[in-house]
């Protein structure tokens, strides 16, 4: 038999996934060992699947409930009871009855239950009338002072469009994450208006979290753990807060990035000193704790979305992700569809699987998918070699163990410059011999283990410093870390040069110097190497990611429970921390969306997304195209989507591409789904396919992706778009198209003349192949009226002949 083994990487952790950095560089025997281990694990788990109970999410057709039942939950319970009674009759009167089997019921963004079932019971349930789908539980992983200024949100001029302090006070952002640290100054509610009347949320209590911890800033705090406990066992209340309190720090950081109150003098050990504030400092935060020590589970995430929509959130910020599943099998996407139907804007992190292509998660068109980019701030550090050469790097080290810049220290590297990484060169736990590294600066390759942990291994072995070298996957991208010993991260090319010097010199030496915080970095922004890339293989016609936002070296509030490195050996306590990841870029977009929602309360989630996308920029502060940190070459829409967010421009986009829930459903109708699979998205009985769009590319998306089929005879494709005027009532726009290799493009009409606000006008773009290309080609369409530039990225792909 032939087996394909796919290794799923964490998609949205606060730092790039370590496994991707080295696994493909390992010797071939290691590949086979991994193959065998994965295969054995798979076979072992399959052997017990029939007997063991695991959590399944059961989606029900609410409209199919028989009249004999008084409410939905009673009907759901009877369905569970029916499959339990036929497969395990002894359980009906035992200790595993249907009430214990059901761990959640969903009523708002999703209809159904989460229940503990055996594999056989789940299969029987799928065949029951009224049951739309049965999903197995899925495990998800977690995916500032400078960014408000960098994004133009903190200018102190009197004409600042964001200057009204009460502008966003009615907007509530639900943050699905690891909880919140309420004592942080970022959640101070001084001067805030009363909680908006539409808010129906609650402040749940538990260990170290009381009612008083909620206020006019933190308006809600809830926990969701039943799916987690079902999969992993009871939470240890002594070692983990079974309450909304954030032990990890990730949730506090993302919530403060969304809507943190201004805090003067914020910094991390002196780095990034300034005023920290969220994107929408007047907005409210509702914390939904769905992630625990062992991960985040889909039944909990689904329940949190369901509850958040019922509570009255306006924005959902979700910095986590799992693998990519078909739309009708992706419970987060289905719940997000329900939230969108209720007018809630959903922002998700793209994942940290870059720079590999097709590494995106959260790709549904009704979700805003956010990649990560750098800002114009850096934390420079230098490696000074014995040759007199200085190599530039980065670090957030601040401690008592400093190296003299006037002295040289011996260097050691336990790998070679040509082979792939090995356990010693990766500085993995237990691989360094103190006799070899004591008193020396150790060169460590990135990969497998967390970056800061490598420094701890060096420190434990007696090393006095570390040079952390990028692998080819990371290129020259530099991510700063709060190390536990003097340490500098360097790019791949510089690292190779240092290793060459070390391996060809008998007495190689170096010292490390730290230069603090530097602003005005050029070029910036740059697309982060770790940021997940397109194309979106579920639907090539839907360009993802949607946009990029600051996600590298972001300062925001932190838990008081762990040190800035998150290592158990780190006993430092800080009020703010600097993190990197698409987890950090997602809340930037969530916060800006809150500002747009406050200014334009009538805008749909799609209109807000459109405003962000069509005003995004694609040139850096040197006026050159955005760069890709992994290659230093120009990035493409598969890397940056529509471009980098520009909040001030998004406030007044001129035109928007609006999309209603039925339009998204019509898109799903083009995806070759069965009626049963489509019904997953029809919580309301009257939603059906009207076939109003001929193909997926006709969804009224702000980005344009045209896919020519395998048949070479198809040389012409036409797509349609409709724009809504949200600018001056009388305005005239003309189209400007950048040339794209391999096609000629015609826009009809080439001029759009609006006579009133909210007027809708339609245009079509016809693409004619002049020479089929073997790779995607990129360009753009801009509608201009002399004031506004409404830009859509354009991608043309030719599928290879079969």
């Amino acid at each position: 038999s032939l087996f394909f083994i796919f290794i799923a990487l964490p998609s949205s952790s606060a730092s790039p996934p370590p496994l991707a950095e080295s696994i493909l560089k390992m010797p071939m025997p290691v590949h086979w060992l991994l193959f065998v281990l994965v295969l054995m694990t798979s076979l072992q788990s399959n052997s017990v699947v029939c007997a063991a109970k695991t959590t399944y999410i059961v989606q029900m057709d609410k409209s199919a409930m028989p009249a004999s039942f008084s409410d939905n939950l009673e009907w759901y319970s009877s369905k569970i009871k029916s499959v339990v009674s036929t497969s395990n009759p002894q359980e009906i009167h035992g200790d595993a009855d249907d009430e214990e089997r059901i761990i959640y019921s969903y009523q708002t963004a999703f209809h159904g239950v989460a229940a503990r079932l055996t594999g056989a019971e789940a299969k029987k349930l799928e065949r029951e009338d009224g049951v739309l789908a049965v999903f197995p539980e899925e495990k998800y992983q977690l995916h500032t002072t400078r960014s408000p200024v960098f994004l133009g949100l903190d200018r102190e001029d009197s004409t600042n469009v964001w200057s009204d302090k009460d502008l966003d006070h009615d907007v509530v952002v639900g943050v699905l994450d690891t909880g919140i640290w309420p004592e942080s100054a970022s959640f101070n509610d001084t001067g805030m208006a009363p909680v908006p009347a539409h808010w129906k949320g609650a402040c749940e209590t538990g260990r170290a979290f009381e009612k008083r911890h909620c206020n006019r800033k933190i308006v809600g705090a809830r926990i969701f753990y039943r799916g987690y406990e079902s999969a992993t066992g009871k939470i240890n209340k002594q070692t983990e807060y079974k309450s909304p309190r954030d032990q990890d720090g990730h949730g506090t950081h993302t919530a403060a990035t969304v809507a943190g109150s201004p805090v003067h003098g914020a910094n991390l050990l002196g780095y990034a000193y300034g005023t920290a504030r969220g994107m929408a400092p007047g907005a409210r935060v509702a914390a939904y704790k769905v992630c625990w020590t062992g991960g985040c589970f889909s039944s909990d995430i689904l329940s949190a979305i369901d509850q958040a929509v019922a509570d009255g959130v306006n924005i959902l910020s979700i910095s986590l992700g799992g693998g990519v599943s078909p739309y009708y099998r992706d419970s987060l996407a289905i719940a997000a569809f329900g939230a969108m139907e209720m007018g809630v804007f959903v922002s998700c992190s793209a994942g940290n699987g870059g720079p590999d292509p097709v590494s995106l998660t959260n790709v549904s068109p009704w979700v805003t998918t956010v990649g990560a980019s750098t800002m114009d701030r850096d934390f420079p550090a230098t490696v000074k070699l014995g040759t007199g050469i200085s190599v530039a790097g980065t670090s957030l080290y601040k401690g008592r163990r400093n190296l003299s810049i006037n002295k040289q220290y011996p260097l050691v590297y336990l790998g070679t410059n040509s082979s792939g990484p090995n356990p010693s060169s990766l500085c993995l736990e237990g691989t360094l011999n103190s006799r070899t590294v004591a008193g020396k600066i150790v060169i460590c390759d990135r990969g497998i283990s967390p970056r800061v942990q490598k420094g701890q291994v060096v420190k434990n072995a007696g090393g006095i410093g570390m040079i952390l070298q990028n692998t080819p996957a990371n290129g020259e991208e530099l991510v700063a870390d709060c190390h536990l010993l003097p340490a500098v991260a360097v790019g791949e090319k510089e690292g190779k040069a240092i290793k060459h010097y070390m391996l060809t010199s008998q007495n190689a030496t170096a010292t490390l110097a730290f230069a603090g915080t530097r602003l005005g970095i050029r070029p910036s922004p740059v697309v982060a190497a770790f940021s997940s890339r397109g194309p979106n293989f579920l639907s090539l016609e839907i360009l993802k990611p949607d946009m990029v936002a600051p996600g590298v070296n972001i300062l925001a509030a932190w838990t008081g429970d762990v040190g800035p490195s998150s290592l158990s050996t780190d006993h430092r306590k800080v009020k703010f921390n600097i993190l990197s990841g698409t987890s950090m870029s997602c809340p930037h977009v969530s916060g800006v969306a809150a500002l747009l929602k406050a200014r334009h309360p009538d805008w749909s989630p799609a209109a807000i997304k459109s405003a962000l996308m069509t005003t995004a920029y694609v040139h850096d502060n040197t006026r050159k195209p955005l760069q890709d940190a992994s290659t230093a070459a120009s990035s493409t829409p598969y890397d940056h989507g529509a471009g980098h967010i520009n909040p001030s421009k998004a406030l007044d986009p001129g035109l928007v591409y609006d999309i209603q829930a039925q339009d998204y459903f019509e898109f799903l109708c083009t995806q070759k789904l069965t009626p049963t699979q489509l019904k997953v998205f029809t919580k309301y009985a009257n939603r059906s396919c009207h076939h109003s769009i001929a193909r997926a590319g006709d969804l009224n998306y702000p980005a344009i992706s045209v896919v020519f089929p395998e048949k070479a005879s198809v040389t012409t494709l036409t797509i349609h778009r409709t724009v809504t005027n949200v600018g001056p009532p009388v305005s005239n726009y003309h189209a400007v198209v950048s040339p794209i290799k391999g096609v000629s493009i015609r826009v009809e009409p080439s001029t759009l003349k609006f006579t009133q606000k909210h007027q809708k006008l339609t245009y079509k773009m016809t693409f004619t192949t002049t020479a089929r290309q073997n790779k995607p080609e990129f360009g753009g369409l801009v509608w201009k009226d002399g004031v506004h530039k409404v830009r859509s990225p354009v991608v043309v792909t030719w599928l290879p002949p079969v």
Side-chain angles (χ1 to χ4, degrees):
S1 298
L2 179 65
F3 291 86
F4 291 90
I5 304 299
F6 293 90
I7 299 176
L9 299 174
S11 64
S12 302
S13 57
S15 48
L19 189 58
E21 299 178 339
S22 298
I23 193 166
L24 296 177
K25 295 291 183 182
M26 290 182 173
M28 187 55 71
V30 180
H31 279 291
W32 283 106
L33 177 60
L34 283 168
F35 180 93
V36 172
L37 286 172
V38 174
L39 184 57
M40 287 175 62
T41 305
S42 174
L43 292 174
Q44 288 171 352
S45 63
N46 285 341
S47 67
V48 296
V49 73
C50 292
K53 296 186 193 72
T54 56
T55 302
Y56 289 86
I57 295 164
V58 183
Q59 187 174 16
M60 303 293 292
D61 180 358
K62 187 179 178 182
S63 64
M65 184 180 78
S68 55
F69 292 97
S70 58
D71 62 49
N72 293 317
L73 186 55
E74 183 189 355
W75 179 44
Y76 302 158
S77 298
S78 75
K79 286 291 183 186
I80 301 300
K81 183 181 289 186
S82 69
V83 298
V84 171
S85 63
T86 55
S87 59
N88 298 292
Q90 70 276 13
E91 288 194 4
I92 290 304
H93 302 291
D95 59 0
D97 61 21
D98 64 297
E99 291 306 316
E100 290 183 342
R101 294 295 198 97
I102 293 176
I103 62 173
Y104 285 118
S105 67
Y106 308 116
Q107 302 286 345
T108 308
F110 189 92
H111 292 305
V113 294
R116 299 186 70 245
L117 303 166
T118 66
E121 290 166 350
K123 285 183 179 179
K124 286 181 181 176
L125 192 59
E126 253 181 330
R127 296 192 291 267
E128 289 283 316
D129 291 338
V131 176
L132 292 176
V134 178
F135 311 106
E137 179 84 282
E138 185 180 351
K139 185 177 178 182
Y140 287 69
Q141 299 291 345
L142 291 166
H143 272 190
T144 91
T145 52
R146 186 65 186 166
S147 49
V149 176
F150 187 64
L151 293 174
L153 295 174
D154 212 24
R155 300 189 181 113
E156 295 181 357
D157 56 81
S158 59
T159 60
N160 187 355
V161 293
W162 310 107
S163 59
D164 181 358
K165 291 182 179 177
D166 291 333
L167 176 70
D168 44 4
H169 78 276
D170 277 344
V171 179
V172 181
V173 183
V175 181
L176 271 65
D177 216 296
T178 62
I180 198 162
W181 191 263
E183 289 82 4
S184 171
S186 293
F187 307 121
N188 187 321
D189 68 348
T190 301
M192 291 195 74
V195 177
H198 79 267
W199 180 246
K200 301 181 183 67
C203 190
E204 295 180 1
T205 60
R207 182 181 161 216
F209 203 94
E210 302 171 12
K211 291 284 186 187
R212 64 183 176 85
H213 287 126
C214 290
N215 56 17
R216 293 183 177 188
K217 168 61 73 176
I218 304 173
V219 296
R222 295 183 186 269
I223 62 173
F224 301 84
Y225 57 86
R226 294 173 194 162
Y228 177 77
E229 284 194 337
S230 178
T232 65
K234 293 290 184 184
I235 292 169
N236 185 335
K237 294 182 182 179
Q238 304 307 310
T239 60
E240 189 165 9
Y241 296 112
K242 197 171 182 178
S243 75
R245 182 167 290 278
D246 179 18
Q247 187 167 341
D248 179 271
H250 192 277
T252 298
H253 198 280
T254 55
T257 301
V258 170
S261 302
V263 181
H264 301 293
N267 66 92
L268 169 61
L269 304 176
Y271 288 100
Y273 188 92
T275 297
R277 47 152 285 190
M279 300 301 101
R284 321 297 180 139
V285 171
Y288 295 87
K289 186 173 179 178
V290 297
C291 296
W292 306 85
T293 303
C296 331
F297 285 79
S298 54
S299 61
D300 297 327
I301 294 166
L302 192 55
S303 186
I305 294 174
D306 194 60
Q307 185 63 61
V309 174
D311 287 346
V313 300
N314 306 105
I315 312 286
L316 276 171
S317 189
I318 307 176
S319 287
L320 50 84
V324 176
S325 302
Y327 299 118
Y328 68 93
R329 299 290 293 174
D330 184 341
S331 60
L332 194 156
I334 296 166
F337 189 95
M340 172 273 299
E341 286 182 298
M342 306 290 280
V344 177
F345 177 92
V346 183
S347 174
C348 290
S349 46
N352 295 336
D356 292 340
V358 199
S359 48
L360 290 163
T361 64
N362 301 319
V363 297
S364 303
W366 49 87
V367 164
T368 298
T369 310
V370 188
S373 57
T374 66
M375 292 188 296
D376 63 343
R377 180 181 66 192
D378 202 0
F379 308 103
T382 306
V383 179
K384 296 184 178 179
L385 301 176
T387 59
I389 295 174
S390 290
V391 176
T394 189
S395 182
L396 292 169
Y397 175 72
K398 190 72 170 281
R400 292 187 294 272
R401 298 179 55 170
N402 280 305
L403 304 181
S404 170
I405 59 172
N406 298 315
K407 183 181 175 182
Q408 288 283 303
Y409 303 88
L411 271 176
V412 62
Y413 176 61
L414 300 175
T416 69
N417 212 21
S418 56
S419 69
N422 61 54
S424 296
S425 73
L426 290 163
C427 301
L428 302 181
E429 197 76 48
T431 63
L432 300 184
N433 188 324
S434 59
R435 287 179 304 215
T436 306
V437 305
K440 298 177 182 177
I441 296 174
V442 183
I443 302 170
C444 298
D445 291 313
R446 278 180 67 172
I448 303 297
S449 62
R451 299 182 298 270
V452 179
Q453 191 173 42
K454 296 175 188 293
Q456 181 68 54
V457 172
V458 171
K459 185 178 179 182
N460 291 345
I464 59 168
M466 176 178 70
I467 299 170
L468 184 64
Q469 189 227 312
N470 279 1
T471 61
N474 315 116
E476 306 313 305
E477 174 179 70
L478 298 178
V479 178
D481 291 300
C482 197
H483 294 283
L484 290 160
L485 86 169
V488 176
V490 298
E492 187 213 1
K493 291 176 183 174
E494 289 87 347
K496 275 189 172 180
I498 294 171
K499 287 194 290 190
H500 177 75
Y501 163 63
M502 157 67 215
L503 295 167
T504 57
S505 173
Q506 285 189 330
N507 297 299
T509 60
T511 190
L512 309 177
F514 307 93
T517 305
R518 188 173 59 164
L519 303 178
I521 300 300
R522 298 162 73 90
S524 65
V526 173
V527 178
F530 62 76
S531 186
S532 287
R533 313 304 169 96
N536 165 17
F537 77 88
L538 273 189
S539 304
L540 283 173
E541 297 87 352
I542 303 299
L543 180 65
K544 292 282 183 171
D546 291 310
M547 63 199 73
V548 292
V552 178
N553 299 334
I554 304 300
L555 182 92
W558 191 242
T559 175
D561 228 45
V562 297
S565 69
S566 294
L567 296 179
S568 59
T569 52
D570 186 358
H571 302 298
R572 299 171 293 181
K573 292 290 179 274
V574 296
K575 293 181 178 179
F576 290 83
N577 200 6
I578 291 174
L579 299 179
S580 297
T582 55
S583 278
M584 283 61 253
S585 52
C586 171
H588 279 85
V589 168
S590 308
V592 174
L595 292 173
L596 295 178
K597 184 68 176 177
R599 278 286 182 181
H600 303 284
D602 59 324
W603 279 10
S604 68
I608 293 173
K609 179 199 277 195
S610 175
L612 288 166
M613 289 177 69
T614 61
T615 59
Y617 57 84
V618 290
H619 290 83
D620 60 32
N621 57 3
T622 69
R623 299 183 181 276
K624 293 181 180 177
L626 294 179
Q627 280 187 22
D628 178 348
S630 69
T631 61
S634 295
S635 60
T636 76
Y638 284 164
D639 309 318
H640 61 238
H644 190 282
I645 61 168
N646 189 343
S648 296
K649 293 283 187 184
L651 186 68
D652 177 25
L655 306 175
V656 294
Y657 293 84
D658 206 0
I659 309 175
Q660 302 303 319
Q662 181 63 32
D663 300 321
Y664 285 120
F665 188 76
E666 294 295 337
F667 158 79
L668 289 166
C669 295
T670 70
Q671 297 298 289
K672 298 179 181 177
L673 305 186
T674 67
T676 301
Q677 292 165 350
L678 277 172
K679 208 157 188 183
V680 164
F681 297 94
T682 61
K683 283 175 294 300
Y684 307 104
N686 60 351
R687 204 177 289 293
S688 60
C689 292
H690 301 154
H691 304 292
S692 57
I693 62 175
R695 58 179 70 89
D698 275 335
L699 178 68
N700 202 38
Y701 215 64
I704 295 166
S705 179
V706 175
V707 182
F708 281 93
E710 296 90 341
K711 292 180 181 178
S713 58
V714 179
T715 59
T716 301
L717 287 175
T718 300
I719 61 100
H720 301 81
R721 290 290 186 274
T722 299
V723 285
T724 304
N725 180 25
V726 294
V730 178
S731 48
N732 298 325
Y733 288 82
H734 69 277
V736 178
V737 184
S738 58
I740 297 179
K741 186 178 179 182
V743 290
S744 64
I745 304 172
R746 188 170 72 255
V747 181
E748 296 176 293
S750 59
T751 301
L752 298 175
K753 297 183 178 182
F754 292 93
T755 57
Q756 56 188 357
K757 198 163 186 177
H758 304 306
Q759 182 182 357
K760 296 179 184 290
L761 291 177
T762 297
Y763 68 89
K764 66 179 181 179
M765 290 182 76
T766 301
F767 297 79
T768 302
T769 297
T770 55
R772 289 181 73 96
Q773 303 297 304
N774 57 12
K775 63 182 182 64
E777 296 292 341
F778 307 100
L781 164 69
V782 184
W783 287 99
K784 297 181 178 181
D785 71 343
V787 176
H788 305 94
K789 293 180 180 179
V790 186
R791 184 183 182 279
S792 293
V794 178
V795 181
V796 181
T797 306
W798 292 263
L799 297 180
V802 289

